[in-house]
Amino acid sequence: MSFIAGTALTSPARTGGCGSVVVVGSINVDQLIRTERHPKPGETLIGSSTEFLPGGKGANQAVAAAQLGAKVHLIGATGRDSQAEVAKAILIGSGVDLSGVHTVDDPTGLAIVTVADDGENTIVVIPGANALVGAEAVETSATDIAAAAVVVLQGEIPPAGITAAIRMATGRIVLNLAPVITLDVAVIRRADPLVVNEHEAALVLAQMDPQRRTPTEDAELVTALRECGIASVVLTRGAKGAICADRDGFNIVDAPSVIAVDSSGAGDAFVGALSAQLATGVVLLQAVQFAVRVGAFAVRSHGTQVSYPTLTDELPTVNTTVCA
């Protein structure tokens, strides 16, 4: 297969000394369906509306980082269909470098997102072109990956693509293993940080140490992953904020209290903000404290990329409790 390259918020990403962020990941169109509640198995419900919006974890994280001032390069793939233009619209508007996005014959990825009135969502992803972001596609951007201060990866592309990117990276690796896919343990250990929610954390731990009992508490999950040889771990907890742990300590960071309208893409907003901050050289705790505010901002409106803040937006007030 050959590929064709197709008061205001203040972020340290604007203060100078910021390295580049390379995101290797998925690009989708989200079919967003709104309904009063989620259907039970076998049940048919009447939805209130539907629309098509740009999405994909890779694209979402790239937009979130770029809108917060980072220099972002995205590596991925879209189809030759009309949906590709929808998928790339906000990426282009936010200034993301798309020279590493390949055009392939498979259709652009599609995510079917159902959002209930309480803000909770369910997502079914059809990978399409994203399934072709393997080692060959990633290796065409080897120079950009090697030069990046931060390389960001997720679980919506093939394991071979993730492994190739990690092998070429010389900067910090942010591995958001969502969804959780099977990777070599040595590859997961390159994460700094590994970013997962509580469900993903348990699945990753089972890969790292199959004989280990799965902890029931979030804090224990983070500690167990660190004990498996991962340099730093960030566990996202939705409205409860996040836990982060690295060589500097173990910290609990509370999120601002907001009224959630749509939680889809909030985790990606968090990862994008985290990556933009890490590219400036700040410590992990400071990056997480900023990222929880960005995630809280994102849940206050519908959609993924369209809900992300820019440097002119005011973030919700943060109340952080830090426990060393």
Side-chain angles (χ1 to χ4, degrees):
M1 166 71 68
S2 60
F3 293 86
I4 303 172
T7 320
L9 183 163
T10 301
S11 168
R14 286 295 197 198
T15 63
C18 179
S20 65
V21 175
V22 168
V23 180
V24 184
S26 57
I27 306 169
N28 290 336
V29 169
D30 291 346
Q31 182 179 7
L32 182 63
I33 300 168
R34 296 189 181 93
T35 185
E36 181 181 358
R37 59 177 175 80
H38 293 293
K40 299 175 183 178
E43 182 184 19
T44 299
L45 292 180
I46 302 297
S48 58
S49 67
T50 186
E51 60 184 318
F52 290 90
L53 297 169
K57 295 190 73 63
N60 290 348
Q61 292 171 10
V63 167
Q67 290 188 170
L68 294 170
K71 179 182 178 182
V72 182
H73 184 109
L74 176 62
I75 299 165
T78 59
R80 304 182 190 278
D81 48 24
S82 60
Q83 295 287 60
E85 299 309 309
V86 176
K88 293 187 287 187
I90 297 179
L91 286 163
I92 294 170
S94 62
V96 175
D97 184 337
L98 300 183
S99 60
V101 174
H102 306 280
T103 302
V104 299
D105 292 332
D106 286 27
T108 299
L110 174 67
I112 301 171
V113 184
T114 303
V115 181
D117 284 349
D118 63 2
E120 290 299 318
N121 66 79
T122 61
I123 305 174
V124 176
V125 176
I126 303 168
N130 298 310
L132 299 179
V133 187
E136 182 185 351
V138 172
E139 286 165 0
T140 63
S141 296
T143 301
D144 293 310
I145 293 171
V150 177
V151 176
V152 187
L153 298 138
Q154 325 78 29
E156 289 187 340
I157 62 170
I162 294 172
T163 301
I166 288 178
R167 183 181 69 249
M168 291 180 282
T170 62
R172 190 162 191 164
I173 294 166
V174 176
L175 177 59
N176 176 214
L177 204 45
V180 176
I181 58 176
T182 301
L183 293 173
D184 188 275
V185 168
V187 171
I188 300 175
R189 286 197 181 112
R190 288 288 308 279
D192 185 17
L194 171 72
V195 183
V196 284
N197 64 26
E198 61 267 36
H199 306 296
E200 294 154 356
L203 292 172
V204 175
L205 182 61
Q207 284 192 45
M208 302 291 290
D209 187 355
Q211 304 305 315
R212 188 164 190 155
R213 178 190 64 84
T214 302
T216 57
E217 299 295 329
D218 290 349
E220 294 176 352
L221 274 169
V222 172
T223 299
L225 287 168
R226 286 272 288 136
E227 289 173 350
C228 288
I230 301 174
S232 60
V233 176
V234 176
L235 189 143
T236 58
R237 310 169 76 203
K240 293 189 291 184
I243 296 174
C244 62
D246 61 5
R247 64 183 64 84
D248 294 327
F250 180 99
N251 298 283
I252 297 173
V253 180
D254 292 337
S257 179
V258 298
I259 297 174
V261 173
D262 178 4
S263 63
S264 58
D268 294 334
F270 178 100
V271 172
L274 179 79
S275 303
Q277 294 290 285
L278 292 175
T280 71
V282 304
V283 298
L284 182 63
L285 174 58
Q286 185 178 343
V288 171
Q289 289 172 330
F290 182 78
V292 296
R293 298 176 65 197
V294 173
F297 181 98
V299 303
R300 299 190 304 182
S301 56
H302 287 291
T304 54
Q305 296 172 26
V306 295
S307 71
Y308 296 168
T310 68
L311 291 172
T312 61
D313 289 310
E314 185 176 349
L315 293 180
T317 302
V318 63
N319 295 311
T320 54
T321 302
V322 181
C323 305

